[in-house]
Amino acid sequence: SQTIHQWPATLVQPVGSPLSLECTVEGTSNPNLYWYRQAAGRGLQLLFYSVGIGQISSEVPQNLSASRPQDRQFILSSKKLLLSDSGFYLCAWRRGITTYEQYFGPGTRLTVT
Amino acid sequence: TQLLEQSPQFLSIQEGENLTVYCNSSSVFSSLQWYRQEPGEGPVLLVTVVTGGEVKKLKRLTFQFGDARKDSSLHITAAQPGDTGLYLCAGVHTNAGKSTFGDGTTLTVKP
């Protein structure tokens, strides 16, 4: 069976500090991977998605970047965090070619102070 | 940007009541998913609907995809406190290569 991991679970960082969030998927190969951000009690904003190693599509201009150094690893980064970067960050992998069913990790709660 | 509007935004009911939440768009989707999310956790997939007019049942939950594939509804019969959570719909445009999520309906079922 497939599982998806995210770490850390929670993070408190000062403004201007760097960020690195990691997501790994087990039990599947060549998955499509996604990074979302979610404000409290709201929907998901797609930040980045990747269809393969080194292939990243950015959805919104922002202070963040993403990388995919290995097939089942997806990293979200920032060089200098802003207060507005606070939120709940979710990684997901996609199952299905046409139905786009997505399976989410447990998320990372980021608070920028 | 293709928008998905969910209504109501908040819903608070007593255990045993029935409810329906809606997901609407002006765009046609190739498929649509419903997810349920509990606080502090990732969304969990409930169902995928693909065909216009399709109805799927998952125990006390009934999902319907509109005939024109622009809207969907989720009906819960005899709601229980365990149904509490944020319900999200996500529409897929095949050519776009990604999903669009609605802002969700926060459901609270009181015992």
Side-chain angles (χ1 to χ4, degrees):
Chain A
S1 64
Q2 300 86 7
T3 57
I4 180 168
H5 304 278
Q6 284 186 247
W7 63 90
T10 60
L11 191 60
V12 180
Q13 292 283 95
V15 168
S17 63
L19 173 73
S20 181
L21 303 181
E22 190 164 344
C23 170
T24 59
V25 182
E26 297 177 356
T28 187
S29 59
N30 198 30
N32 281 19
L33 296 173
Y34 302 83
W35 277 113
Y36 292 90
R37 179 168 57 203
Q38 184 178 33
R42 304 294 289 173
L44 307 182
Q45 178 189 30
L46 179 62
L47 302 176
F48 301 95
Y49 69 96
S50 172
V51 299
I53 296 174
Q55 301 179 63
I56 308 294
S57 295
S58 175
E59 287 298 298
V60 292
Q62 60 208 334
N63 188 40
L64 303 169
S65 62
S67 62
R68 186 168 176 177
Q70 300 181 40
D71 181 44
R72 290 171 288 178
Q73 183 184 32
F74 204 21
I75 297 172
L76 183 69
S77 303
S78 174
K79 292 182 179 179
K80 291 185 178 181
L81 283 168
L82 306 172
L83 286 174
S84 57
D85 292 324
S86 293
F88 191 48
Y89 287 82
L90 289 157
C91 180
W93 70 278
R94 190 187 94 192
R95 172 178 176 173
I97 297 175
T98 58
T99 58
Y100 284 75
E101 296 172 342
Q102 294 184 50
Y103 295 86
F104 289 84
T108 295
R109 172 73 60 194
L110 172 65
T111 303
V112 182
T113 60
Chain B
T1 303
Q2 298 90 1
L3 294 177
L4 267 175
E5 296 184 355
Q6 290 191 244
S7 61
Q9 185 176 352
F10 299 97
L11 186 57
S12 180
I13 61 172
Q14 293 295 132
E15 181 176 3
E17 294 182 358
N18 302 332
L19 67 113
T20 302
V21 298
Y22 301 92
C23 175
N24 295 295
S25 176
S26 58
S27 302
V28 176
F29 296 107
S30 56
S31 70
L32 187 142
Q33 286 82 41
W34 283 93
Y35 298 82
R36 177 172 165 270
Q37 184 181 22
E38 297 194 20
E41 300 182 6
V44 175
L45 178 68
L46 295 175
V47 77
T48 294
V49 286
V50 179
T51 305
E54 182 177 7
V55 176
K56 283 191 174 180
K57 292 189 176 183
L58 183 65
K59 297 183 180 178
R60 293 176 293 100
L61 279 60
T62 301
F63 304 86
Q64 184 163 7
F65 202 14
D67 290 341
R69 291 185 289 136
K70 294 182 179 181
D71 53 82
S72 181
S73 64
L74 160 58
H75 181 79
I76 301 179
T77 303
Q80 300 176 0
D83 295 326
T84 293
L86 176 66
Y87 288 82
L88 296 161
C89 64
V92 177
H93 297 273
T94 303
N95 293 336
K98 55 188 181 291
S99 302
T100 299
F101 280 80
D103 272 343
T105 292
T106 299
L107 172 64
T108 303
V109 182
K110 300 177 182 178

